[in-house]
Amino acid sequence: MAKQLHPTPNLDELEKGPWPSFVTGLKRLAKDKDYMVDVLGHLEHSYKTRKGYWKGGTVGVIGYGGGVIPRFTEIKNEKGEAVFKDAAEFHTIRIMPPPGMHYDTGTLRKFCDIWDQYGSGLIALHGQSGDIMLQGCTSENVQPAFDAINEMGFDMGGAGPAVRTSMSCVGAARCEQSCYDEAKAHKMVVNTFLDDIHRPALPYKFKFKFSGCGNDCMNAIHRADMAVIGTWRDNMRTDDELGKKWFAKHGMNELVNDVVSRCPTKALQIKDAKDVRKGGDISSVALDDTQCLEIDNKDCVRCMHCINVMTGALAPGKDKGASILIGGKSHLKIGSLMGTLVVPFMKLEKDEDYQQLVELAQTIIDFFAENALEHERTGEMIERIGLVNFLEGIGLDIDANMVTNPRMNPYVNTGDWDEEVAKIKAKKAAA
Amino acid sequence: MAQAQRRAVECGVPDPAPFMHPSLLKNKGNWKYHDRPRPGVLHHVSHSGDQVWSVRAGTQRQMDTYTIRTLCDIADKFGEGFVRFTIRSNIEYILADQKKVDPLIAELEKHGFPVGGTGNSMSMVAHTQGWLHCDIPGTDASGVVKSMMDELYHEFKNEEMPNRLHLSTSCCEINCGGQADIAVIIQHTKPPKINHDLVANVCERPAVVARCPVAAIRPALVNGKPSLEVDEKKCICCGACYPPCPPMQINDPEHSKLAIWVGGKNANARGKPQIMKMVASGLPNNAPRWPEVNKVVGDIIKAYKADARPWERLSDWIDRIGWPRFFEKTGLTFTKYLIDDWRGSRANLNASAHVRF
Ligand code: HEM
Ligand code: SF4
Ligand code: SF4
Ligand code: SF4
Ligand code: SF4
């Protein structure tokens, strides 16, 4: 039995309504833990005064420079003592989950046991960066809690100017749209940078995210410094049986309004079966015995829309890999940026292919470490130095896929134009 | 100190295989198609002929160990002892046996976990830290999310939206919640109040000066002590100076407001990914249930639901109907603050005679 609860009239309002209530969960923990009684009091004080009262500090585990988010209370009496003394320290430990966030219940129960023993009993599954966030621990208990978690085979995530915890979509494990082994790429790439995760020494944070197709379920293009987005370069696969099944259920109006007219590049046409074009770049799927949907794969930009609507009838091709974009970030400080395409296609099939991805990541991190200013994300760095300098720095060839359109102003010295053309032609000839 | 110091085993990201449901492991990379027998359930079919049913349920994300153990008990009873989580903190149970789907749903709902969040429903709000744990929050996160999900419970449990609908919240302008179809983000409206007594001890002054996006901060001597001052005419109240220098208090119970953003889209489907746009601000930080915010979010969702065509995400819908009609249909007011004047802003102005009447 813990001490008596503080009155929490504001938080009590959040026990009402049908959605699962975190307040009810906190109160259940507070039955046994003085710690949580005071955490509830602390949070109620924020609700009442509409301000936050945690400040940072330095807490860590032996050997690592980051991964613990220290929190000390700022609600103090005149003598400078913590008003909610059992919640004077409320640190978070960030732990990297398995790619795809799969768990067996034994593992989750072990986390619960450890966090009941050493922490508050509050676990967030998961943080927006993808961590298991064990929330609420005293300075003293951080080390034993981490030791126990580390014994389970789990490791600390990133914080500060470091490579951060990564996320990959469920992908190959349960999604027919998947174009590479997201979990394998995630694990191989991130585990290459453990030193940069655990000992923050980069100019600023660096995030990797892995999505198996253009649906980008991990929001990688906007949220990652390096986004790995699955794609394919041969023709879309089709399945006539599933095509007919879809058409019988949905009909011509939906086919026209929801599929054909929504293709961003007008790559789709409805054809009589006999009129479907022959040729290496054309796929088609039967709708009934006389009609087909024809796909011009040279026009398709792999946006995924038609495949999402007619899943199974249409599917990504077999020559699979990923497009890579660099430099996504949120508002601070120059405004939101989407990543920029720097590799239109990298094959991801054999171990060597994945190794090549790791090497590219390494090159980019090295360049970032050397060239970014303090507190500058990759997107801001590229904006400052220009895409061409970035590409030359990391040794990637330019490609017209990298632009929405070519330059719209004359303010550049094109004096070496002929040499550039000759260089590119020579390179192409040699390839 | 009886115990020897233990050094961390730098094991990194674990191999997911031991944590995966056996059917997922067996059919990895070999899935053929899926359909949705009902909201909250995905049915995947493999090229091998194997099938799995995934049942998705909402959680409060900030979970106590009792809740997690309850979810585990349910998995042991119905789900062969495996679960996974989605990016939006939903839990998924994977079943190789269709007969267990209905009993599992009944058990989840009995324990208060709503089943839904699939396809063209509204999924759980992407969630940040807020007053519960962050050191710079202008508002809470868990409470805002809870009050929004209570209001929009029906939309989580049913697939009645034109397309999927993703929401996020962020308790400062840093926007950890990320962009979304509809995002609720703190918007400060007063420059930081500086506690000059503390600046010299706590802040690295050149670093703070460099952090300001509009160069509004300069070093100054205040009452004979080295401190900082802010050109309040220049200051855009972004709060970027606050994390490196907590004495530059930006949070204010009254003047830290909430803004609403719409049309963020991360998928490449149809149009390219889109950055969200601000459409309302000045909403009060009205804990514990933020009714004014919920009203605006609800109005936007109602208008989208009524008017968008199948497969139109919120941004696709606005692309079709145009901004004037968006403001008309949602009842929001277009003000001068919504005309961009930040860098690259002219690209956001209408350079054509395209007008919808
Ligand atoms: C001072 C303190 C800060 C605190 C306490 C803080 C806290 C957090 C937390 C708890 C998360 C979720 C982490 C996880 O999943 O493990 C997060 C994510 C995030 N943070 Fe921060 N943050 C801070 C500063 C910043 C700054 C300065 C920026 C940007 C310039 C930023 C941008 C983000 C973004 C964009 C995410 C979402 C990441 C993603 O979607 O992958 N944060 N932050
Ligand atoms: S990103 Fe693509 S492959 Fe990954 S889960 Fe989403 S739809 Fe599937
Ligand atoms: S995937 Fe290709 S064909 Fe299909 S809608 Fe997108 S661009 Fe068009
Ligand atoms: S959005 Fe801001 S206040 Fe909220 S958790 Fe992120 S950094 Fe903290
Ligand atoms: S709030 Fe933003 S604009 Fe104002 S002084 Fe601080 S960093 Fe500069």
Side-chain angles (χ1 to χ4, degrees), chain B residues 11-86:
Chain B
C11 51
V13 177
D15 179 359
F19 306 104
M20 283 165 69
H21 186 282
S23 298
L24 300 193
L25 201 53
K26 175 172 165 228
N27 293 287
K28 188 172 158 199
N30 200 28
W31 296 101
K32 188 174 182 203
Y33 72 95
H34 80 276
D35 51 30
R36 299 192 307 278
R38 54 153 281 173
V41 182
L42 306 168
H43 166 229
H44 283 87
V45 180
S46 161
H47 285 287
S48 74
D50 286 0
Q51 307 179 55
V52 293
W53 286 263
S54 305
V55 176
R56 184 178 293 175
T59 74
Q60 61 270 55
R61 185 182 95 139
Q62 313 285 143
M63 283 183 273
D64 57 287
T65 44
Y66 298 93
T67 298
I68 297 174
R69 289 199 184 93
T70 304
L71 291 166
C72 288
D73 291 343
I74 297 172
D76 288 339
K77 198 157 155 203
F78 298 95
E80 291 143 53
F82 292 92
V83 299
R84 68 171 296 273
F85 287 86
T86 72

Side-chain angles (χ1 to χ4, degrees), chain A residues 13 19 32 47 71 92 103 105 109 116 123 133 135 150-151 155 172-174 176 191 198 214 333-334, chain B residues 6 9-10 12-13 29 31 34 62-63 66 69 76 83 92 129 133 140 146 150 210 268 289 342:
Chain A
E13 289 299 310
W19 191 258
D32 305 320
Y47 269 72
R71 290 292 176 256
T92 285
Y103 298 98
T105 53
R109 286 181 202 278
D116 276 336
I123 305 179
M133 296 201 297
Q135 296 183 306
N150 197 210
E151 292 288 338
D155 200 356
R174 201 203 53 205
E176 67 272 19
N191 286 354
H198 294 139
K333 123 181 184 180
I334 64 171
Chain B
R6 178 185 177 281
V9 179
E10 212 148 345
V13 177
W31 296 101
H34 80 276
Q62 313 285 143
M63 283 183 273
Y66 298 93
R69 289 199 184 93
D76 288 339
V83 299
E92 289 184 342
Q129 300 277 300
H133 189 258
D140 196 28
K146 160 74 176 151
D150 281 343
N268 293 267
R289 295 205 68 108
W342 191 242

Side-chain angles (χ1 to χ4, degrees), chain A residues 97-381:
Chain A
M101 293 169 174
H102 302 271
Y103 298 98
D104 64 291
T105 53
T107 299
L108 285 178
R109 286 181 202 278
K110 256 188 252 166
F111 272 112
C112 290
D113 293 344
I114 292 170
W115 208 235
D116 276 336
Q117 184 180 352
Y118 296 109
S120 69
L122 185 67
I123 305 179
L125 296 165
H126 297 81
Q128 286 301 319
S129 303
D131 290 288
I132 302 168
M133 296 201 297
L134 299 156
Q135 296 183 306
C137 190
T138 59
S139 305
E140 188 184 16
N141 277 351
V142 163
Q143 185 72 50
F146 176 69
D147 288 346
I149 293 159
N150 197 210
E151 292 288 338
M152 286 170 68
F154 284 79
D155 200 356
M156 194 82 90
V163 170
R164 295 299 187 89
T165 301
S166 175
M167 282 169 121
S168 48
C169 67
V170 65
R174 201 203 53 205
C175 181
E176 67 272 19
Q177 325 292 30
S178 164
C179 292
Y180 66 97
D181 187 339
E182 304 82 0
K184 176 173 177 165
H186 173 170
K187 182 166 173 276
M188 275 180 77
V189 169
V190 171
N191 286 354
T192 305
F193 298 105
L194 292 177
D195 192 39
D196 286 312
I197 291 179
H198 294 139
R199 290 160 206 94
L202 294 173
Y204 199 16
K205 63 177 84 166
F206 191 103
K207 297 181 179 179
F208 294 101
K209 290 194 197 301
F210 303 86
S211 286
C213 76
N215 284 323
D216 193 4
C217 290
M218 293 300 104
N219 306 349
I221 294 178
H222 184 242
R223 299 200 305 176
D225 293 280
M226 177 161 167
V228 182
I229 309 288
T231 191
W232 66 96
R233 56 181 173 184
D234 57 343
N235 291 348
M236 221 183 263
R237 281 179 292 168
T238 60
D239 184 308
D240 286 341
E241 194 191 321
L242 290 174
K244 288 179 179 174
K245 205 169 131 191
W246 186 92
F247 189 69
K249 184 164 171 212
H250 295 271
M252 187 54 85
N253 292 358
E254 282 186 34
L255 181 71
V256 172
N257 295 334
D258 297 349
V259 184
V260 176
S261 72
R262 293 209 180 278
C263 170
T265 53
K266 313 288 173 274
L268 302 171
Q269 295 183 77
I270 300 165
K271 294 268 179 92
D272 288 341
K274 63 179 173 25
D275 298 331
V276 172
R277 282 178 287 165
K278 304 276 175 290
D281 301 321
I282 304 296
S283 339
S284 80
V285 63
L287 300 166
D288 54 26
D289 292 339
T290 58
Q291 285 176 299
C292 291
L293 179 68
E294 181 193 278
I295 303 118
D296 187 329
N297 287 283
K298 279 286 173 217
D299 292 337
C300 168
V301 288
R302 279 61 173 166
C303 88
M304 295 304 294
H305 173 74
C306 61
I307 299 177
N308 292 340
V309 184
M310 300 179 69
T311 158
L314 304 175
K318 285 184 164 159
D319 186 8
K320 293 174 173 181
S323 301
I324 294 166
L325 292 89
I326 304 290
K329 61 175 288 299
S330 198
H331 297 142
L332 281 182
K333 123 181 184 180
I334 64 171
S336 249
L337 296 177
M338 292 287 177
T340 298
L341 184 83
V342 301
V343 178
F345 185 82
M346 177 184 276
K347 179 96 179 160
L348 287 177
E349 193 178 79
K350 301 195 205 72
D351 282 347
E352 303 92 86
D353 301 334
Y354 286 83
Q355 200 50 51
Q356 212 192 332
L357 179 69
V358 171
E359 278 158 28
L360 178 66
Q362 183 78 65
T363 308
I364 290 173
I365 293 256
D366 289 347
F367 184 86
F368 173 64
E370 260 175 47
N371 293 282
L373 304 176
E374 196 194 323
H375 216 259
E376 189 178 57
R377 289 284 290 273
T378 47
E380 288 158 308
M381 174 186 73

Side-chain angles (χ1 to χ4, degrees), chain A residues 71, chain B residues 127-131 133-139 141 169-177 185 243:
Chain A
R71 290 292 176 256
Chain B
H127 197 305
T128 49
Q129 300 277 300
W131 288 330
H133 189 258
C134 193
D135 60 347
I136 55 173
T139 187
T169 63
S170 293
C171 24
C172 78
E173 289 176 34
I174 283 171
N175 180 219
C176 298
I185 307 179

Side-chain angles (χ1 to χ4, degrees), chain B residues 15-330:
Chain B
D15 179 359
F19 306 104
M20 283 165 69
H21 186 282
S23 298
L24 300 193
L25 201 53
K26 175 172 165 228
N27 293 287
K28 188 172 158 199
N30 200 28
W31 296 101
K32 188 174 182 203
Y33 72 95
H34 80 276
D35 51 30
R36 299 192 307 278
R38 54 153 281 173
V41 182
L42 306 168
H43 166 229
H44 283 87
V45 180
S46 161
H47 285 287
S48 74
D50 286 0
Q51 307 179 55
V52 293
W53 286 263
S54 305
V55 176
R56 184 178 293 175
T59 74
Q60 61 270 55
R61 185 182 95 139
Q62 313 285 143
M63 283 183 273
D64 57 287
T65 44
Y66 298 93
T67 298
I68 297 174
R69 289 199 184 93
T70 304
L71 291 166
C72 288
D73 291 343
I74 297 172
D76 288 339
K77 198 157 155 203
F78 298 95
E80 291 143 53
F82 292 92
V83 299
R84 68 171 296 273
F85 287 86
T86 72
I87 187 174
R88 315 189 83 77
S89 300
N90 299 315
I91 191 166
E92 289 184 342
Y93 293 84
I94 289 104
L95 308 177
D97 177 2
Q98 189 183 8
K99 285 201 286 295
K100 290 187 186 161
V101 171
D102 288 334
L104 169 61
I105 292 173
E107 185 78 1
L108 282 164
E109 302 242 320
K110 188 178 100 191
H111 286 93
F113 300 106
V115 171
T118 48
N120 49 321
S121 68
M122 192 203 90
S123 190
M124 164 70 160
V125 182
H127 197 305
T128 49
Q129 300 277 300
W131 288 330
L132 179 63
H133 189 258
C134 193
D135 60 347
I136 55 173
T139 187
D140 196 28
S142 315
V144 184
V145 171
K146 160 74 176 151
S147 60
M148 280 166 63
M149 291 311 294
D150 281 343
E151 298 281 326
L152 297 163
Y153 191 69
H154 177 88
E155 304 303 351
F156 180 86
K157 292 189 58 166
N158 292 279
E159 295 178 347
E160 295 173 356
M161 287 292 152
N163 198 344
R164 66 201 63 234
L165 181 67
H166 290 165
L167 271 66
S168 74
T169 63
S170 293
C171 24
C172 78
E173 289 176 34
I174 283 171
N175 180 219
C176 298
Q179 60 156 12
D181 292 294
I182 306 175
V184 180
I185 307 179
I186 275 279
Q187 183 82 20
H188 303 292
T189 63
K190 284 273 188 297
K193 286 195 221 98
I194 308 174
N195 184 340
H196 294 290
D197 294 339
L198 297 181
V199 170
N201 290 335
V202 185
C203 314
E204 209 182 303
R205 293 190 305 157
V208 185
V209 169
R211 206 66 77 82
C212 179
V214 292
I217 309 175
R218 50 178 179 251
L221 270 183
V222 181
N223 305 328
K225 282 188 199 158
S227 186
L228 296 162
E229 73 187 10
V230 169
D231 180 342
E232 299 203 346
K233 280 210 200 66
K234 266 189 178 173
C235 173
I236 49 172
C237 310
C238 68
C241 50
Y242 180 51
C245 185
M248 301 193 65
Q249 182 59 250
I250 188 78
N251 290 318
D252 182 287
E254 180 154 353
H255 299 294
S256 293
K257 303 286 191 184
L258 290 137
I260 311 282
W261 298 62
V262 303
K265 169 173 166 284
N266 294 302
N268 293 267
R270 303 170 305 285
K272 291 180 180 179
Q274 298 257 335
I275 290 176
M276 60 189 178
K277 287 94 185 164
M278 190 197 281
V279 293
S281 190
L283 298 164
N285 189 9
N286 199 356
R289 295 205 68 108
W290 294 271
E292 298 82 0
V293 170
N294 275 313
K295 166 86 169 68
V296 173
V297 170
D299 287 349
I300 296 171
I301 292 177
K302 245 181 263 153
Y304 166 64
K305 187 175 178 180
D307 196 59
R309 294 177 186 162
W311 294 95
E312 279 179 348
R313 286 287 287 267
L314 211 121
S315 61
D316 300 311
W317 171 56
I318 298 169
D319 280 349
R320 176 167 60 79
I321 68 169
W323 288 103
R325 264 206 297 167
F326 169 83
F327 284 95
E328 216 173 276
K329 282 177 185 294
T330 54

